[in-house]
Amino acid sequence: MLGGRNTITLFTVGGIRIAVDWSWFIVLFLVIFWLNGFYESLPAAETSAIGPFILAVLSAIGFFGSILLHELGHAVVAMRNGIGITSIRLWIFGGVAEMDRESDSPGTEFKVAAAGPAVTAAIAVVLVAIGTAFSGSSAFSNALMFRVDSGASGLMAMVAWLAAVNVIVLFFNLLPAYPMDGGRIARSIAWKITGSRGTATRFAAILGMVFGYGFIGLGVLLALTGAVFSGVWLALIGILVIGAARAAKSQTRFAEQLEGITVGDVMDPSPVVMPSEISAEQALDQYFLRYGWSWFPVSGSDGRFLGMVERDAVDAVDEVARSGTQVSELVDSDSVGFHIRADAPLDSMLGNPDIRRFGAMMVTDPSGRLTGVITVEQLGRALGEAV
Ligand SMILES: [Zn+2]
């Protein structure tokens, strides 16, 4: 979704970068500030062991952990369904698990969207169970209402606060306001019923916009009645939801116009290919100096794509050793996967991060033989014609 680019990486779990936006610290600061006051108002005997401030800090950490687990829920299910997760980012409006592509079926979409709320619900259930076990059901249910005279200990008041916050997060996330989780779930159901992702996205986007305007209206109302921070926060979420819903709508129109166009329709079918068995000297004379390009695709004697060779790699070979060095030794091993099938739909190139590195992708047939090259310019031209 949206958000600032200035993030701080906290740690990585299972290859996923966990990052926080500077705006997330506002959330933590407010949580600690508000809860410190709340815990201070509890009877001193209840908090004396730990102290209100430590309780407030622990609450903030628990809140952070809850949101992170929610996003990890989305991430784990996405990865199980073959969708890559590049990072999880937390910011003032919650968390975002960045996926490298969209779900390809309504079932996957549903599972990925529902996984986060399922985790949040599980956290709430566990916390309520812990609180009830330690304080008794009547004291804990009073603590859930943030009553200072609940009789629950400070620690259990914290558990109650975390449980209540998770319930609020769950409720809010399940509103069918695309791109929030509930909106994604609504989209997956509409997709399943209509059989069309485009129709479903348009439906979810309209629903998202209705909720977005609702959030703004409610936010203004809240702000006018004194809850300024909550009101402004809700109105800003409304603006974000409307923006994201609009973007989803126009992206759908775009994807529909590209429908039926494949990589093969747009690619250059006669690329200049460097044979792997020539020497570095020949590569320089016959390719790099002749064409002036900074890279070439390399193919083996059977025509299979082996990867890319860059000018820098050839230049780095000592001049006297160039005639005795084969191009196959200079192929960039990371670039072996930089190819796509000619029959792949063109819109599958849009989210492909590999094309950025060389500004092009190699096109191969099912046996791995090079059949073409598609460049960013060709892709851009095709997109321009489609709009
Ligand atoms: Zn979520």
Side-chain angles (χ1 to χ4, degrees):
M1 219 172 88
L2 305 149
R5 294 270 148 233
N6 304 322
T7 57
I8 303 155
T9 303
L10 294 184
F11 49 88
T12 55
V13 272
I16 304 170
R17 191 168 72 92
I18 311 295
V20 291
D21 186 88
W22 64 269
S23 64
W24 176 251
F25 292 104
I26 298 176
V27 175
L28 293 189
F29 171 79
L30 287 174
V31 165
I32 294 171
F33 179 76
W34 284 331
L35 286 179
N36 187 44
F38 169 70
Y39 293 130
E40 272 178 349
S41 68
L42 292 177
E46 307 294 358
T47 55
S48 58
I50 303 174
F53 181 70
I54 300 293
L55 278 175
V57 171
L58 289 176
S59 303
I61 293 170
F63 180 51
F64 168 81
S66 301
I67 302 290
L68 186 58
L69 286 173
H70 172 108
E71 296 306 328
L72 282 171
H74 289 304
V76 167
V77 175
M79 290 193 294
R80 276 200 194 148
N81 286 279
I83 300 169
I85 300 289
T86 47
S87 68
I88 288 176
R89 192 164 48 83
L90 300 186
W91 64 318
I92 193 164
F93 301 113
V96 187
E98 316 260 18
M99 304 183 193
D100 66 359
R101 63 179 180 85
E102 291 227 35
S103 311
D104 48 16
S105 75
T108 305
E109 172 87 351
F110 181 86
K111 280 184 271 180
V112 173
V119 169
T120 299
I123 294 171
V125 167
V126 169
L127 290 173
V128 168
I130 292 172
T132 310
F134 281 89
S135 343
S137 58
S138 76
F140 192 69
S141 54
N142 282 333
L144 279 174
M145 305 290 166
F146 308 132
R147 283 179 54 171
V148 288
D149 59 352
S150 68
S153 70
L155 204 57
M156 285 305 122
M158 181 187 88
V159 170
W161 180 81
L162 281 172
V165 158
N166 273 287
V167 170
I168 294 166
V169 166
L170 177 67
F171 170 77
F172 196 68
N173 262 290
L174 286 179
L175 292 175
Y178 186 87
M180 283 165 33
D181 295 337
R184 289 183 184 276
I185 291 171
R187 180 170 82 149
S188 73
I189 295 169
W191 186 357
K192 178 87 185 164
I193 293 171
T194 62
S196 153
R197 184 215 298 257
T199 307
T201 305
R202 262 189 294 274
F203 162 75
I206 290 167
L207 209 56
M209 283 187 217
V210 170
F211 270 92
Y213 285 112
F215 290 162
I216 294 174
L218 196 62
V220 169
L221 212 65
L222 278 174
L224 291 177
T225 53
V228 176
F229 183 82
S230 311
V232 170
W233 185 78
L234 190 62
L236 287 176
I237 287 193
I239 292 170
L240 283 174
V241 164
I242 291 169
R246 263 209 198 114
K249 227 171 120 186
S250 56
Q251 207 184 339
T252 300
R253 210 184 53 214
F254 201 52
E256 280 170 349
Q257 269 152 342
L258 287 180
E259 220 162 77
I261 305 177
T262 64
V263 169
D265 294 333
V266 177
M267 70 177 187
D268 170 5
S270 47
V272 180
V273 180
M274 196 185 282
S276 63
E277 65 275 5
I278 65 169
S279 69
E281 193 173 25
Q282 289 170 303
L284 213 51
D285 291 343
Q286 296 169 19
Y287 290 86
F288 288 108
L289 295 176
R290 182 165 155 211
Y291 292 95
W293 300 342
S294 58
W295 52 259
F296 286 90
V298 178
S299 71
S301 50
D302 55 356
R304 285 170 61 92
F305 172 61
L306 299 179
M308 314 287 279
V309 66
E310 287 186 88
R311 170 85 192 251
D312 292 347
V314 177
D315 282 340
V317 178
D318 207 67
E319 223 163 301
V320 291
R322 277 181 193 157
S323 59
T325 306
Q326 272 205 353
V327 162
S328 58
E329 299 166 49
L330 302 173
V331 169
D332 178 350
S333 56
D334 290 340
S335 64
V336 180
F338 282 28
H339 59 92
I340 190 164
R341 290 269 299 272
D343 55 359
L346 195 62
D347 64 330
S348 69
M349 300 274 306
L350 295 177
N352 193 318
D354 289 344
I355 197 170
R356 272 182 237 140
R357 176 145 172 233
F358 293 102
M361 276 297 267
M362 307 307 119
V363 185
T364 51
D365 68 9
S367 63
R369 293 163 56 91
L370 253 175
T371 55
V373 172
I374 180 166
T375 63
V376 170
E377 290 79 34
Q378 286 164 331
L379 183 62
R381 224 175 298 130
L383 298 181
E385 282 162 13
V387 176

